[in-house]
Amino acid sequence: MPATSIFKKNAEYQRFAVFRKEMWRLATSFAWKNLTDPLVRRQFQKLVVLDDGFLTEDEHAEFFRIAAEMEDIYSQAKVDNLSLDPDLTRIFASSRNAEDLEKYWVGWRDATGKKIRSQYVKFVELSNEVARANGFNDRGEQWREPYESLTFEDDMAEQWEILRPFYLEMHAYVRMKLVKLYGEEVVKPDGPIPAHLLGSHLLSVSMVQATCGERTGTTSRTSRGPSPTNRTLTSRRRWSEGEGTVQNLTAIQMLKISEDFFTSLGMKRMTPEFWHYSVLEKPKVEAMECNTFAWTMFADDDFRLLHCTVPTQEDLVFVHHMMGNIQYFQHYANQPFALQWGANPSFHEAIGEVMELSVVTPKHLHKIGFLDKVENDTETEINFLMFMALEKIAFLPFSYLIDLWRWDVFRGSVNKLNDRWWQLRLQYQGLCPPVRRSETDFDPGAKNHVPGDTPQIRHFFSYILQFQLQEVLCREAGHVGPLHTCDIYGSHAAGDKLAGLLRLGSSMPWQDALARMTGGSGKLDARPLLNYFAPLRRHIRDSLGNSTVGWTSGDHNICP
């Protein structure tokens, strides 16, 4: 994003901050804690946290200046005149030259993290001032507050321990493939995996997580065949908008296919305002960053999407994800303004991902005309599940550890920022840096989540929650068979169950909303995720033979 756009965006954020401060002033003028109506009291509870509004005018200006500078450094960074997207992303997705990958891996960190470190340290100080003014001990505690659990950190650690054995097996399987590709001089058979060998995300997130919905190189390095969702949309799909066979689907046609999925569940159509105001293709006459966003404008039926749609099955699946977010907006629009949000910060993401779990199945792609036939053999099943696991399981430890690192930084319990970063990456991901790292480096700053100040525990939570929700929806739909084969398309019973959850917005604690949905305790549960991947896990265990599972620990600041 150009620097002028970044500063313009932050100017708008400051205008919104003025509005929020006035809302806070009005809300705190009431003795709201004495209110007896729990729904009204909950609205006040949402309004009395002020974000950055407690800063002085000078601090406020510095806060936004630092945020803009970090984002500007990151967005403008280049290595050998190559930008992250598409140049470096393409190199990391396709290159098998370890020396080249190491050069670009180091170069990206020199161009981003090293230049961001000093700004980030000051940003942490200002962020903690805001948190303390809102009654929290630090910013990490403020980030965790919407999850409404005094044991949230322990709860997440418990979920990770449930998932960890499967991740260790995935790690061993990927390492085994990389040993064959690069040799034991580069990848030790019992050691951590060098972070520069794994593409832009998936197992390592070694540069930066790609934009939502983007698949990159690790799949092709480890799966047993072609991805099930990488075909171009061609004349195999006949869509009734006009006559004849569509040779190349338009953005509108792709979104109509997605809308059809939701209406088949008895859910809502997109509004006229959605079709009028959304930007669904990259304009040919003006520069525009293709960063996907979905919005509610909190007015009538005005819901909008910004997405540069491309005619691939991959993007078709992702469009369902984003329109799942629009469905959430539509369903909780009748809640009071303060409660027009997801049940917690992870629910919007999980709802979008649940839609993908049905749409990505070969069964559904065949149903809507994008696969000629469904292959019901073990080879196809394992390939499909490997593809999904490299998207889901591989990202879990990173989304967990990046916030473990930040929570410690916000608490002030980390003296060596980069050293602690690599301790956690070795401990949770089994990754090591290809060259020695020191405190002159700031490798967390090479991830857009850090300069962008974006919490990631929400993804860890949502990646577990989506399978829990899918299990319930598939049961409602009368699905028989393995969970990974379930497609809820056409089930009004599943649609009614999902709509009931969406209508609640944030009107009650997420635990209560989840209990209503599942009929259970309302606790997050990783077991449905493990059920989904059970056939793949059996295959991996059989394939590993006598291979080491886990890795030897040593100097976390350089690969052995």
Side-chain angles (χ1 to χ4, degrees), residues 443-464:
D443 295 330
K447 319 294 181 187
N448 63 345
H449 324 83
V450 171
D453 197 39
T454 309
Q456 289 300 294
I457 199 68
R458 65 182 185 181
H459 295 298
F460 179 80
F461 190 110
S462 74
Y463 273 34
I464 298 171

Side-chain angles (χ1 to χ4, degrees), residues 11 14 151 457 518:
Q14 291 188 60
T151 60
I457 199 68
T518 65

Side-chain angles (χ1 to χ4, degrees), residues 356-372:
E356 290 194 30
L357 290 178
S358 283
V359 177
V360 78
T361 60
K363 175 180 168 182
H364 184 82
L365 292 173
H366 174 65
K367 187 182 298 180
I368 63 174
F370 291 119
L371 282 180
D372 296 329

Side-chain angles (χ1 to χ4, degrees), residues 401-418:
L401 76 85
I402 188 172
D403 278 5
L404 288 181
W405 177 83
R406 284 191 285 197
W407 295 344
D408 283 346
V409 171
F410 290 137
R411 288 187 183 106
S413 60
V414 179
N415 294 321
K416 295 182 177 180
L417 300 180
N418 212 58

Side-chain angles (χ1 to χ4, degrees), residues 194-444:
H196 64 301
L197 301 181
L198 287 165
S200 74
H201 73 300
L202 301 170
L203 193 67
S204 71
V205 200
S206 59
M207 287 172 55
V208 55
Q209 186 198 8
T211 54
C212 290
E214 182 174 336
R215 278 49 162 165
T216 52
T218 306
T219 301
S220 64
R221 301 177 199 194
T222 56
S223 67
R224 306 174 72 196
S227 156
T229 57
N230 64 359
R231 306 166 190 264
T232 300
L233 299 184
T234 62
S235 58
R236 278 180 287 197
R237 175 61 175 164
R238 184 184 296 272
W239 192 250
S240 32
E241 249 192 26
E243 297 179 358
T245 300
V246 177
Q247 297 298 319
N248 293 290
L249 291 182
T250 66
I252 294 292
Q253 289 163 344
M254 289 178 65
L255 269 76
K256 286 291 186 180
I257 294 172
S258 177
E259 184 181 53
D260 172 68
F261 179 87
F262 291 102
T263 57
S264 84
L265 302 176
M267 299 179 77
K268 296 178 181 291
R269 292 189 177 277
M270 297 297 103
T271 64
E273 289 83 357
F274 172 86
W275 296 112
H276 179 74
Y277 291 113
S278 292
V279 177
L280 305 177
E281 297 178 285
K282 187 170 184 176
K284 296 179 180 179
V285 294
E286 66 178 271
M288 186 185 78
E289 291 288 328
C290 284
N291 295 323
T292 299
F293 293 101
W295 290 280
T296 173
M297 306 307 289
F298 299 102
D300 299 323
D301 293 326
D302 195 351
F303 312 100
R304 307 183 189 186
L305 176 64
L306 166 61
H307 179 60
C308 298
T309 313
V310 293
T312 63
Q313 285 188 7
E314 173 185 56
D315 208 40
L316 176 66
V317 172
F318 182 55
V319 162
H320 284 73
H321 176 125
M322 297 309 300
M323 289 182 75
N325 281 278
I326 301 293
Q327 286 284 332
Y328 211 164
F329 296 149
Q330 289 179 294
H331 278 82
Y332 63 49
N334 290 330
Q335 291 286 349
F337 167 77
L339 304 179
Q340 289 185 36
W341 309 96
N344 70 33
S346 299
F347 267 67
H348 259 291
E349 185 73 15
I351 296 303
E353 295 282 352
V354 166
M355 301 303 102
E356 290 194 30
L357 290 178
S358 283
V359 177
V360 78
T361 60
K363 175 180 168 182
H364 184 82
L365 292 173
H366 174 65
K367 187 182 298 180
I368 63 174
F370 291 119
L371 282 180
D372 296 329
K373 61 181 178 178
V374 178
E375 302 286 352
N376 293 315
D377 59 88
T378 302
E379 183 85 5
T380 301
E381 177 185 52
I382 295 303
N383 179 57
F384 170 76
L385 287 173
M386 179 64 75
F387 174 83
M388 294 296 288
L390 290 170
E391 289 290 304
K392 306 288 186 180
I393 305 303
F395 186 60
L396 282 167
F398 176 78
S399 58
Y400 183 42
L401 76 85
I402 188 172
D403 278 5
L404 288 181
W405 177 83
R406 284 191 285 197
W407 295 344
D408 283 346
V409 171
F410 290 137
R411 288 187 183 106
S413 60
V414 179
N415 294 321
K416 295 182 177 180
L417 300 180
N418 212 58
D419 185 77
R420 179 58 175 161
W421 175 252
W422 284 106
Q423 284 180 355
L424 292 172
R425 296 205 73 188
L426 178 63
Q427 177 183 348
Y428 287 94
Q429 287 184 286
L431 299 179
C432 57
V435 300
R436 180 166 292 282
R437 314 308 284 164
S438 71
E439 288 308 302
T440 62
D441 302 302
F442 184 58
D443 295 330

